[in-house]
Amino acid sequence: MGRRPHFEVPEGWVARGWRFEVETTTPDQRTLIAQHFGARRFAYNWALAQVKANLDARAADPSVPPLAWTLPTLRKAWNQVKAEVAPWWPCCSKEAYACGIADLVAALNAWSASKLGRRAGPRVGFPRFKARHRDHGRVRFTTGAMRLEADRRHVTLPVIGPLRSKENTRRLQRQVAKGRARVLSMTLSEQGDRLFVSVATLVAQAPRRPSQPDARCGVDLGIGAEWAVVAHADDRIERVTHPAPWAAVQQQRRQIARQASRRIIGSRGHRQAKAKLAALDRRAANLRQEAIHTLTTQLARQYGTIVVEDLDVAAMGRSMGRRAFRRSVYQAGLGQVRPTMAYKTSWAGGRLVVADRWFASSKTHHGCGGYHADLRLTDRVWVCSACGRLVDRNANAALNLRDWTGPVSDRAVQRGGVAAPVPFVGDHGGQAHAPGVGVRGPVRPPQVAGAHDTRTDLSSRREEPRTGVPVGGQSLNVR
Ligand SMILES: [Zn+2]
């Protein structure tokens, strides 16, 4: 078990995730896909049962030898018994079982690292058995006949066959065809009744430079009407508001949620209202994603240094005040900005600096040093006691962040600050699994995280360098 090895992206390549919504091409594919999701879950539960039985046996009698929680061991054990416990196993790709076992190994490693205090973030519990209604259907392929078809409209997976992509796959397919991108894995997953294929790749990428390598900007994020306020290098203050349709979507959402709550659970009307609600939530999430990507891409391409606040979004959402406030914290996607900024700055050759959590960016008057101790969250402007001028809270905070010169802590680096972290091997629990994966080249990485990456929208404009998938970053902070 021990520490999970970190995956190093070879020099000149960047790890990159792609995501395409797909639909089935033949009627029986739906069944086949459901079988694969089930097969993955079955293997996961089977392996968990082995581990649990072994732990229980060892608790009763310490002389029982421990079962190694590694993918090779568990896979070997699975192959020995699969004809007995799952006589239907030839129906599905062997990757479905391997994926379930690998995910369990990852979960066990996370649990054990968390217990030993070697893992940041919230405590991780012991893995639980997956039930069909609770498990989110997915299966990952790392070998076999998986490819992007040359028509740029289809993605082929082993056993399941071709799936039609709703989006043109050109940006990735072209690079794969030219040998500039290597597919590491493809993950088929469902969300609601939609199917997605996430492709983890390595893409060849020359180092880049931002257009103003020596310039700095500061970004102050908020939950009010001004979603983000940027202090540019030339003292220009840019105020980024919520996306235009945002308010309308939120309004509709309230209305439909009320409808849903008034309908009888299980009725057709309730189902319809729930479906509408899900569609609105998806729309809101897409709008938010778009806003985050637009902001981060634009800044990362321009500035050598971007300074953001160390927001504790988890704490904000957990503890502070009214429900409406907590909801708006999550809806504003504040926690997503820094990780996104972290990998984009590393792609673009800049750096992200995370200002200290206790830096009073809102309370100090930029350029004069006047301090306003009892600033409340609702105060949009305040009067500086030192110079008597009216201070705009958000613009002032952004300027303070831009000119922040404090030390950069190691913690910030670990959590997606300055140095871009390398992607971490999440999916296979650090086990070198199925080397090759159609990868030919100097380095054969085991795998790469990023299968759940949804950053296909902005990349349409230009392929972007990516040296890392940010790790952690879920605990940020407010003042
Ligand atoms: Zn002042």
Side-chain angles (χ1 to χ4, degrees), residues 59 249 276 473:
V249 171
K276 271 191 206 165

Side-chain angles (χ1 to χ4, degrees), residues 121-158:
R123 230 177 58 88
V124 177
F126 194 78
R128 294 169 62 181
F129 287 106
K130 303 276 185 206
R132 186 160 60 102
H133 60 271
R134 250 189 301 131
D135 190 34
H136 145 71
R138 60 199 179 280
V139 61
R140 184 178 53 250
F141 299 92
T142 54
T143 54
M146 54 172 191
R147 60 182 175 269
L148 296 155
E149 296 298 342
D151 67 359
R152 292 171 174 174
R153 268 297 174 184
H154 291 86
V155 180
T156 298
L157 294 174

Side-chain angles (χ1 to χ4, degrees), residues 365 368-370 384 386-389 391:
H365 189 192
C368 119
C384 176
C387 66
R389 270 181 294 178
V391 182

